[in-house]
């Protein structure tokens, strides 16, 4: 299992602030779909939000623009990324913590109305355990995004990246196409509220159901 000090090159590539025109287009499209997905949630129902795997904090910005909460919770595996997130969100009250997504011991059961986990599950040694943790700490909604395979690797190959690994980004341990992700999700007590597929990602908004 990864520990908070583990770091795999590729896990924290700053795709949100790339100067590449294609990357900028893809990220812009991702956030358009991200906002569209959030529109399925009534902001008045949301009082507590957590982001698992906050990276450099770009998604916290988007969440704050939509929900305008007073406080947020966010965690990451990397102290370096948390420092970036702090600098990137100086005007937002965020309670940061160093945690592994597979073991969110600092968060109590059903602590958050919305739990966001973007570009994390593909990195986990035990994604099932990570997803169970998302379910545990959420009392209502969960929003996840992961790469859409095999499109992700095909695009990496097209830009001549990670050729020796057949386009697999370093640190990506799990790979889901659209059908496999739905199958993975349906094993749990959740309802799929919305799903969207901004190239080369897939975004799902889930709502917990009674066991």
């Amino acid at each position: 299992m990864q520990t908070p000090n583990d770091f795999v090159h590729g896990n924290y590539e700053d795709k949100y602030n790339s100067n590449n025109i294609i990357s900028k287009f893809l990220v812009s499209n991702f956030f358009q779909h991200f906002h569209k997905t959030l529109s399925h949630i009534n902001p008045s129902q949301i009082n507590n939000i957590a982001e698992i795997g906050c990276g450099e904090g770009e998604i916290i910005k988007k969440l704050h623009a939509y929900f305008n909460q007073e406080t947020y919770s966010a965690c990451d595996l990397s102290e370096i990324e948390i420092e970036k997130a702090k600098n990137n969100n100086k005007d937002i009250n965020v309670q940061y913590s160093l945690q592994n997504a597979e073991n969110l011991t600092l968060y109590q059961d059903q602590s958050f109305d919305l739990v966001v986990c973007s570009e994390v599950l593909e990195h986990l040694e035990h994604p099932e355990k990570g997803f169970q943790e998302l379910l545990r700490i959420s009392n209502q909604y969960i929003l996840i995004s992961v790469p859409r395979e095999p499109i992700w690797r095909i695009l990496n190959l097209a830009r001549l990246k990670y050729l020796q690994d057949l386009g697999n980004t370093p640190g990506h341990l799990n790979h889901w196409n659209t059908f496999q992700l739905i199958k993975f999700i349906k094993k749990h007590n959740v309802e799929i509220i919305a799903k969207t597929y901004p190239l080369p990602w897939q975004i799902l908004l889930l709502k917990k159901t009674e066991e």
Side-chain angles (χ1 to χ4, degrees):
M1 177 186 297
Q2 289 180 310
T3 67
N5 293 318
D6 289 340
F7 184 90
V8 178
H9 177 70
N11 284 11
Y12 295 103
E13 181 178 347
D14 189 0
K15 54 186 172 290
Y16 300 118
N17 296 299
S18 172
N19 292 320
N20 182 278
I21 292 178
I22 295 176
S23 293
K24 283 185 175 181
F25 170 78
L26 293 176
V27 168
S28 175
N29 188 46
F30 172 88
F31 278 124
Q32 287 180 27
H33 283 256
F34 185 82
H35 278 284
K36 181 180 178 181
T37 303
L38 291 178
S39 70
H40 291 269
I41 303 174
N42 183 344
S44 66
Q45 297 179 326
I46 305 300
N47 296 307
N48 302 294
I49 299 175
E51 185 185 5
I52 310 306
C54 64
E56 59 270 35
E58 289 295 325
I59 284 182
I60 292 174
K61 280 185 180 179
K62 306 300 181 184
L63 291 169
H64 184 255
Y66 187 83
F67 292 106
N68 196 27
Q69 298 291 308
E70 290 186 4
T71 61
Y72 293 80
S73 296
C75 66
D76 200 275
L77 195 66
S78 165
E79 294 182 68
I80 295 173
E81 294 303 299
I82 287 177
E83 287 304 314
K84 290 179 183 178
K86 288 179 179 179
N87 290 329
N88 206 13
N89 293 292
K90 291 180 179 179
D91 297 328
I92 304 174
N93 186 4
V94 185
Q95 298 175 350
Y96 293 99
S97 60
L98 192 67
Q99 295 191 78
N100 188 319
E102 295 181 13
N103 194 23
L104 300 170
T105 56
L106 298 182
Y107 295 150
Q108 296 181 355
D109 296 357
Q110 301 182 38
S111 298
F112 304 103
D113 299 319
L114 172 62
V115 175
V116 177
C117 186
S118 180
E119 309 304 293
V120 173
L121 292 173
E122 68 271 19
H123 296 286
L124 301 184
E125 187 175 347
H126 304 289
E128 176 71 28
K129 187 174 181 181
F131 192 77
Q132 288 289 352
E133 282 290 85
L134 303 182
L135 287 172
R136 180 183 66 79
I137 67 172
S138 171
N139 62 42
Q140 195 169 181
Y141 292 104
I142 301 168
L143 189 153
I144 64 169
S145 74
V146 298
R148 183 178 169 191
E149 297 289 4
I151 294 174
W152 182 275
R153 281 177 288 183
I154 291 172
L155 290 179
N156 273 339
L157 290 173
R159 64 192 185 112
L160 303 179
K161 295 282 285 186
Y162 316 127
L163 298 180
Q164 72 269 23
D165 294 317
L166 299 179
N168 185 53
T169 301
H172 283 199
L173 306 179
N174 308 292
H175 310 88
W176 292 283
N177 61 32
T178 55
F179 302 105
Q180 291 167 335
L181 184 61
I182 296 297
K183 183 178 180 181
F184 174 79
I185 294 301
K186 285 188 173 181
K187 294 187 295 182
H188 306 87
N189 294 312
V190 293
E191 175 188 359
I192 299 174
I193 301 298
K195 51 188 177 182
T196 185
Y197 302 100
L199 190 74
W201 290 281
Q202 39 192 334
I203 303 173
L204 271 66
L205 176 63
L206 313 170
K207 188 173 184 179
K208 291 180 67 173
T209 58
E210 294 185 5
E211 297 183 10

